[in-house]
Amino acid sequence: MAFDTDALIQQVTTFVRTDLMERADYPLRPDEPLITSGLLDSFSLARVAVYIEEELSVYLPDSELTVENMDTVRQMVSQIEQWSDKE
Amino acid sequence: MPFVGFVACTILVFYVVPKRMQNVVLLAASYSFCLTFGWPCLLLLVSSTLFNFLLPMFYSSGRRNPRNLWIVWLGVTVNLAGLIWLRWATLSSGVVESGSSLLTIAGIGLSFYTLSAIAYLVDVYRGQVPKVTNLLHFALFMAWFPKLLSGPIERVQILLPQLTASRIVKDQDVSQHLLLIFQGVFRKVVIANWLFALLPSNAWTQPEQFHSVELIVFPFLFAVAVYNDFLGYMSIMRGVSGLFGIKLSRNFHLPLSSRSFTEFWTRWHITFSEWLRDYVFFPLTRSLLKRKLPPQSLAVIGLPLLFTMLGSGLWHGFGWNFVVWGAVIGCVQIGERIHTVRRTQASNQVGSRLIYIAAVLAVIPAAVCFNTSLSNTFDYCLALVEFSMMSYSRNRFAVFLLWLFPPLLANIVLDRMDESSSTRFVSTAFPAKLRSLAISAGVFLILIISQADSHPAFVYEEF
């Protein structure tokens, strides 16, 4: 399954801003740290995983839901692309 | 000391035999090590190895195939049933007190390698790792002796590539691994044993014998002692494993400097915490979220955390004290999570401080529960809140604090060494071979001076 990376970044950014941070006007950058900076906590990764599974039909394994792998929107998108290839 | 001889002999044989025979030597050594605890222990390990090696062979092709779900559940159930049966039988026959019996012996290391096996079955089912087709490699993954007794709980994707690759251990690496062993021995023999010695044997069972200030200090003293005991064990085993070119996962990352309970559990017994996160907490949370429950509801926030920590408690032992231990820790984490999710700017500062104080206070019942029955824990907390100063002696407490200072200072220095480049500075000041010789001499010196064979066993061996 191939994704348009820019569109994917936009989609995930919108989800993070509106659903997780509840700050739709926040100027979130793709490389901005989310968890290590305290904008989100690591428990939010479960919500990211469920969103990706339901909206994009890509299953991210639980062991990949780590701060190292998913601290920025770009890293999240990279995980989506990596695991969509394995579907 | 016999363990030192065993490791030395294994290293000798390991480096003498051809490379293709090295894994056979390591497996033979691991089984010999297991055998020193008795035939039941080895029998259980071999049975578990064969079962978990063969089961994925019945998986059908295709990721997350529904037929495979039944097989993976069978595997998880059998593994957990073995663990539960042993825990239950141990509890009901009362051998926890006596310390040795057929069941205790058979169960040595079971809690650790069973979790590794479950992770393997689930990961193969999820398509995250390929099936292991070489029985020798899988048997070594399960039995590798430095991790057999108390972990770390390794995943197949981390350990197996190291077992199958050609291993080269340089002089520089040897001195680093010996330094790790030295630090581990020092933590166990000097710091942990010193702190345990300061803890009165009747601290948990006869709290009325002590004044409240002491009752506040004991749980924290116990926490630091267990930290050094377990980290000491881990350092020794990581060092020993490294001498064979196999790096074991790190299990601690300065947990005592955590700012919350949630952070503490990402730094303490890391491989176990990560196992719970990946195979209990995240699957439960995802399952609740998929049922369209509000993400900020108490059910989604609380249930997975509580269930995970109760599971953690029961893993440590069957008993109401461990249930309460898990519940206390779970509830504090739920409080921290609710605060994070629902905080507002105004309530932020006050709430953070209150949650932090609650987390620190929770250490007291948690540590007492970990050591004794519920009724004793209740008496302990009662004695503490009564704030009895009847047996208070300022001089006695001053002497106690004076004795507490050196091991705590040593603990801080070693923690800093772990994190800073000072270790590297110290270790590169001399040629690698000379360093190795000096560090080995240091290890022997500590063992001889402290009469290491007479020391109590590592705390986590009981689990």
Side-chain angles (χ1 to χ4, degrees):
Chain A
M1 200 188 307
F3 288 106
D4 175 349
T5 304
D6 290 337
L8 207 51
I9 286 177
Q10 192 56 47
Q11 186 178 349
V12 175
T13 301
T14 305
F15 168 72
V16 170
R17 273 195 315 219
T18 52
D19 288 57
L20 299 184
M21 294 170 63
E22 297 180 349
R23 292 163 72 181
D25 56 344
Y26 184 85
L28 182 64
R29 287 171 282 111
D31 292 311
E32 188 170 349
L34 292 166
I35 299 160
T36 51
S37 67
L39 284 172
L40 298 180
D41 65 14
S42 58
F43 296 103
S44 308
L45 294 176
R47 286 181 70 188
V48 175
V50 171
Y51 172 79
I52 291 168
E53 191 176 349
E54 292 183 340
E55 297 296 320
L56 306 169
S57 303
V58 176
Y59 178 81
L60 296 187
D62 297 312
S63 54
E64 301 300 317
L65 306 180
T66 60
V67 179
E68 294 76 37
N69 288 344
M70 309 269 286
D71 197 26
T72 66
V73 169
R74 199 180 297 283
Q75 284 178 320
M76 290 173 187
V77 168
S78 166
Q79 286 292 322
I80 296 168
E81 291 175 334
Q82 184 187 330
W83 286 96
S84 68
D85 292 340
K86 296 183 182 176
E87 288 291 327
Chain B
M1 278 301 197
F3 182 71
V4 176
F6 168 76
V7 172
C9 289
T10 309
I11 287 175
L12 195 71
V13 179
F14 176 77
Y15 284 107
V16 165
V17 299
K19 277 198 182 301
R20 61 189 163 79
M21 290 301 289
Q22 283 184 338
N23 279 347
V24 177
V25 170
L26 294 185
L27 183 63
S30 297
Y31 280 166
S32 307
F33 178 71
C34 186
L35 196 57
T36 59
F37 298 95
W39 278 104
C41 182
L42 183 60
L43 200 65
L44 205 61
L45 175 62
V46 173
S47 311
S48 174
T49 301
L50 286 174
F51 176 75
N52 290 297
F53 175 75
L54 292 173
L55 200 67
M57 303 295 174
F58 294 97
Y59 286 173
S60 302
S61 57
R63 284 180 71 214
R64 302 173 72 82
N65 186 317
R67 177 178 176 268
N68 296 348
L69 190 61
W70 290 101
I71 302 176
V72 81
W73 270 114
L74 172 74
V76 171
T77 307
V78 169
N79 275 296
L80 283 182
L83 194 57
I84 290 168
W85 179 78
L86 266 165
R87 282 266 187 272
W88 190 260
T90 307
L91 181 78
S92 55
S93 60
V95 290
V96 174
E97 299 300 326
S98 65
S100 71
S101 81
L102 190 68
L103 286 167
T104 320
I105 289 165
I108 279 175
L110 182 77
S111 341
F112 294 90
Y113 65 72
T114 293
L115 296 192
S116 287
I118 290 174
Y120 168 69
L121 294 178
V122 175
D123 288 352
V124 174
Y125 162 73
R126 286 171 173 172
Q128 280 179 260
V129 294
K131 286 175 211 170
V132 180
T133 50
N134 184 316
L135 182 58
L136 172 66
H137 292 155
F138 188 76
L140 189 53
F141 160 70
M142 291 284 282
W144 179 223
F145 77 88
K147 71 168 187 71
L148 184 65
L149 294 188
S150 305
I153 299 161
E154 292 289 357
R155 309 280 177 92
V156 77
Q157 52 270 49
I158 304 289
L159 196 59
L160 205 73
Q162 299 188 65
L163 302 179
T164 53
S166 176
R167 294 175 290 261
I168 299 164
V169 185
K170 297 176 190 162
D171 286 351
Q172 174 75 19
D173 298 333
V174 171
S175 66
Q176 288 290 345
H177 296 309
L178 286 172
L179 190 62
L180 209 51
I181 294 172
F182 176 81
Q183 287 178 336
V185 169
F186 190 86
R187 275 194 191 272
K188 164 65 183 167
V189 172
V190 180
I191 304 178
N193 287 352
W194 185 323
L195 290 172
F196 279 129
L198 283 177
L199 204 60
S201 56
N202 58 345
W204 315 119
T205 50
Q206 293 173 307
E208 68 280 359
Q209 302 284 322
F210 306 94
H211 63 77
S212 293
V213 181
E214 286 173 318
L215 294 180
I216 291 171
V217 172
F218 290 157
F220 295 97
L221 171 62
F222 173 76
V224 182
V226 170
Y227 167 60
N228 279 282
D229 185 274
F230 198 13
L231 177 54
Y233 170 85
M234 281 297 152
S235 298
I236 293 169
M237 291 311 179
R238 284 178 67 216
V240 167
S241 185
L243 293 176
F244 296 91
I246 298 168
K247 287 185 179 168
L248 294 181
S249 300
R250 196 176 179 183
N251 234 358
F252 292 91
H253 180 61
L254 298 179
L256 301 182
S257 59
S258 304
R259 285 159 299 175
S260 67
F261 247 46
T262 306
E263 186 184 347
F264 180 85
W265 288 109
T266 62
R267 292 164 170 264
W268 175 279
H269 204 174
I270 295 168
T271 54
F272 181 52
S273 299
E274 288 182 347
W275 191 96
L276 287 171
R277 183 198 66 194
D278 293 348
Y279 302 102
V280 183
F281 176 77
F282 271 146
L284 265 175
T285 308
R286 286 168 82 148
S287 158
L288 292 173
L289 287 171
K290 282 181 192 170
R291 287 167 201 273
K292 304 298 173 201
L293 289 171
Q296 295 182 2
S297 65
L298 192 59
V300 173
I301 292 173
L303 282 180
L305 270 173
L306 194 60
F307 194 81
T308 303
M309 293 321 297
L310 286 175
S312 174
L314 289 172
W315 178 85
H316 284 88
F318 275 10
W320 286 108
N321 57 324
F322 285 110
V323 173
V324 171
W325 177 83
V328 167
I329 291 169
C331 287
V332 174
Q333 287 194 62
I334 291 168
E336 288 178 346
R337 174 84 179 119
I338 290 173
H339 171 67
T340 309
V341 169
R342 299 180 181 172
R343 70 184 166 193
T344 60
Q345 291 296 329
S347 67
N348 199 7
Q349 286 287 342
V350 180
S352 295
R353 283 189 188 146
L354 283 176
I355 291 285
Y356 182 75
I357 291 168
V360 171
L361 289 178
V363 172
I364 297 172
V368 183
C369 269
F370 200 83
N371 282 287
T372 188
S373 67
L374 267 190
S375 63
N376 284 339
T377 305
F378 184 72
D379 291 343
Y380 190 99
C381 294
L382 208 61
L384 197 150
V385 294
E386 279 175 357
F387 217 78
S388 160
M389 303 295 273
M390 273 172 61
S391 53
Y392 183 74
S393 153
R394 202 173 282 178
N395 285 346
R396 189 178 78 178
F397 193 61
V399 171
F400 175 75
L401 287 181
L402 210 62
W403 278 102
L404 203 55
F405 182 69
L408 291 186
L409 184 67
N411 172 67
I412 292 168
V413 170
L414 279 182
D415 275 1
R416 291 299 129 204
M417 276 179 74
D418 271 352
E419 288 312 297
S420 71
S421 57
S422 61
T423 308
R424 225 174 298 141
F425 173 73
V426 169
S427 62
T428 50
F430 302 99
K433 285 197 169 70
L434 193 62
R435 284 200 305 269
S436 299
L437 208 64
I439 298 165
S440 304
V443 171
F444 274 105
L445 204 64
I446 294 179
L447 292 176
I448 290 165
I449 290 175
S450 65
Q451 297 175 309
D453 291 343
S454 62
H455 289 303
F458 290 97
V459 173
Y460 263 71
E461 273 182 37
E462 288 178 27
F463 304 122

